Amino acid sequence: MTDKIVHGGGITEAARQYGGRPEDWLDLSTGINPNPVALPEVPVSAWHRLPDQHLQERAREAARGYYRSGDILPLPVPGTQSVIQLLPRLVIGGSIAILSPTYGEYARAFTLAGLKVRQVSTIADLTSDDRLVVVVNPNNPDGRMLPVDRLHDLHDRQRQLGGILLVDEAFGDVEPEASVAPYAASMPGLIIFRSFGKFFGMAGLRLGFVIAEASIMARFEDWLGPWAVSGPALSIATSLMESDTSAIRDRILQRRLALERILRHSGLHVAGGTALFALVADERTEGIYTHLCRHHILVRKFDYARNWLRFGLAPDEEADRKLAGALESDDFRSVRPKI
């Protein structure tokens, strides 16, 4: 059995180890908008009844406009993690290549299914045996971004080999111009995953979307079964995707700029990231991580890259001051990187 992957979150366990109440901790361990948008009104019928077809149709239309997917109506799913678990069913023969390092659940899902998994560092490492190629774009955790034309070329390559290209755009909302969703209708064999909760700050809603040719989406829909996404989730998503989201984007970018200023002022090297998190590279990460935990601030560390820490966005200026204070405190001198 492949070991479970440790993700962001885990405030309760951190508080048990380092003290304090979980609600008083500053959680910077996830890549989620720390300022969830106001909930739109949800009709009582969405809570009272099973999700009617019209709710799903409205959500798909809203998603088509929001993701600019043209003739394709994106399929709502109960979080993209749910369809990652189903991906092995699409692969017959060959190997799976994952542009790495990246979100670890892809390799785990394929490995548990008994498939051959190759974690490659560049596109040049791909072989003709790779029937499915996974690219997280922008990437988690280093923010690596492949331009649209490179993804077109990669898709053409996979199509010639009779394979599939999967592009995970979970962190793509802030940069819609980098998405391949507008071209998906003319790219058979392309699968795009989109996350709803990260940008809108509603990860607990457990909602994502799949953009692909009709035959692939029909298979996912069949495997997930009826009523996979709740009526309230569909209703909320429809309202928010039809709204003006520019203020959400602007706030995220402001928070990202504030985070980077704090990290750089503290002498930490920002090695990458996306609009929703920053990746710090430093040889003293274990000491930095422990120091922050003692100040009741949780960040994300990685078992496969001991010199990396990922910092999510702080919600406001008060949280900025808490993080800056911890990184400027006297007891940080023992782990402070040389400037």
Side-chain angles (χ1 to χ4, degrees), residues 163-225:
I164 295 172
L165 171 63
L166 169 64
V167 181
D168 183 332
E169 298 181 345
F171 293 96
D173 293 58
V174 177
E175 300 180 77
E177 66 280 356
S179 172
V180 288
Y183 314 101
S186 61
M187 299 172 72
L190 171 69
I191 303 173
I192 302 169
F193 286 172
R194 297 297 299 243
S195 169
F196 179 83
K198 291 179 174 61
F199 177 77
F200 291 100
M202 295 185 174
L205 204 63
R206 305 311 304 134
L207 178 64
F209 288 87
V210 176
I211 302 170
E213 59 189 278
S215 61
I216 291 178
M217 291 196 295
R219 294 173 74 180
F220 280 133
E221 190 170 19
D222 183 52
W223 292 334
L224 288 169

Side-chain angles (χ1 to χ4, degrees), residues 5-66:
I5 295 169
V6 178
H7 298 288
I11 283 289
T12 300
E13 182 58 35
R16 286 196 185 109
Q17 185 173 356
Y18 293 96
R21 300 184 307 166
E23 57 267 31
D24 295 331
W25 275 62
L26 175 59
D27 187 2
L28 304 181
S29 67
T30 68
I32 299 168
N33 181 356
N35 296 295
V37 300
L39 278 173
E41 183 178 352
V42 178
V44 174
S45 59
W47 298 101
H48 177 62
R49 304 171 59 179
L50 289 170
D52 287 330
Q53 186 64 30
H54 78 277
L55 282 179
Q56 182 163 131
E57 291 171 355
R58 283 192 58 207
R60 297 185 75 168
E61 285 287 356
R64 171 160 63 179
Y66 181 72

Side-chain angles (χ1 to χ4, degrees), residues 168-280:
D168 183 332
E169 298 181 345
F171 293 96
D173 293 58
V174 177
E175 300 180 77
E177 66 280 356
S179 172
V180 288
Y183 314 101
S186 61
M187 299 172 72
L190 171 69
I191 303 173
I192 302 169
F193 286 172
R194 297 297 299 243
S195 169
F196 179 83
K198 291 179 174 61
F199 177 77
F200 291 100
M202 295 185 174
L205 204 63
R206 305 311 304 134
L207 178 64
F209 288 87
V210 176
I211 302 170
E213 59 189 278
S215 61
I216 291 178
M217 291 196 295
R219 294 173 74 180
F220 280 133
E221 190 170 19
D222 183 52
W223 292 334
L224 288 169
W227 314 300
V229 178
S230 72
L234 294 171
S235 176
I236 290 168
T238 299
S239 295
L240 292 178
M241 288 189 295
E242 290 177 344
S243 68
D244 182 359
T245 60
S246 58
I248 304 172
R249 178 181 182 274
D250 290 346
R251 180 61 174 168
I252 287 173
L253 292 175
Q254 291 168 6
R255 294 282 78 225
R256 178 61 169 80
L257 182 60
L259 173 63
E260 183 144 353
R261 284 172 177 164
I262 292 169
L263 296 176
R264 293 193 185 281
H265 181 73
S266 302
L268 296 175
H269 172 56
V270 178
T274 71
L276 285 167
F277 58 82
L279 182 70
V280 164

Side-chain angles (χ1 to χ4, degrees), residues 73-245:
L73 289 168
L75 174 69
V77 297
T80 50
Q81 182 61 48
S82 68
V83 280
I84 288 175
Q85 309 298 128
L86 300 175
L87 284 173
R89 302 189 190 186
L90 290 176
V91 182
I92 300 177
S95 58
I96 292 89
I98 304 171
L99 198 56
S100 302
T102 193
Y103 183 60
E105 292 293 345
Y106 283 105
R108 176 176 162 80
F110 290 120
T111 300
L112 287 175
L115 298 174
K116 179 183 177 182
V117 178
R118 300 191 326 108
Q119 300 193 55
V120 301
S121 57
T122 69
I123 291 177
D125 296 325
L126 298 177
T127 72
S128 59
D129 193 48
D130 297 324
R131 289 294 176 265
L132 189 150
V133 174
V134 178
V135 178
V136 180
N137 204 60
N139 190 45
N140 174 20
D142 62 3
R144 178 197 60 234
M145 179 85 79
L146 295 186
V148 170
D149 59 347
R150 292 289 303 280
L151 292 171
H152 272 284
D153 292 343
L154 183 53
H155 167 263
D156 291 343
R157 174 195 181 280
Q158 285 301 103
R159 188 179 181 187
Q160 291 171 9
L161 293 171
I164 295 172
L165 171 63
L166 169 64
V167 181
D168 183 332
E169 298 181 345
F171 293 96
D173 293 58
V174 177
E175 300 180 77
E177 66 280 356
S179 172
V180 288
Y183 314 101
S186 61
M187 299 172 72
L190 171 69
I191 303 173
I192 302 169
F193 286 172
R194 297 297 299 243
S195 169
F196 179 83
K198 291 179 174 61
F199 177 77
F200 291 100
M202 295 185 174
L205 204 63
R206 305 311 304 134
L207 178 64
F209 288 87
V210 176
I211 302 170
E213 59 189 278
S215 61
I216 291 178
M217 291 196 295
R219 294 173 74 180
F220 280 133
E221 190 170 19
D222 183 52
W223 292 334
L224 288 169
W227 314 300
V229 178
S230 72
L234 294 171
S235 176
I236 290 168
T238 299
S239 295
L240 292 178
M241 288 189 295
E242 290 177 344
S243 68
D244 182 359
T245 60

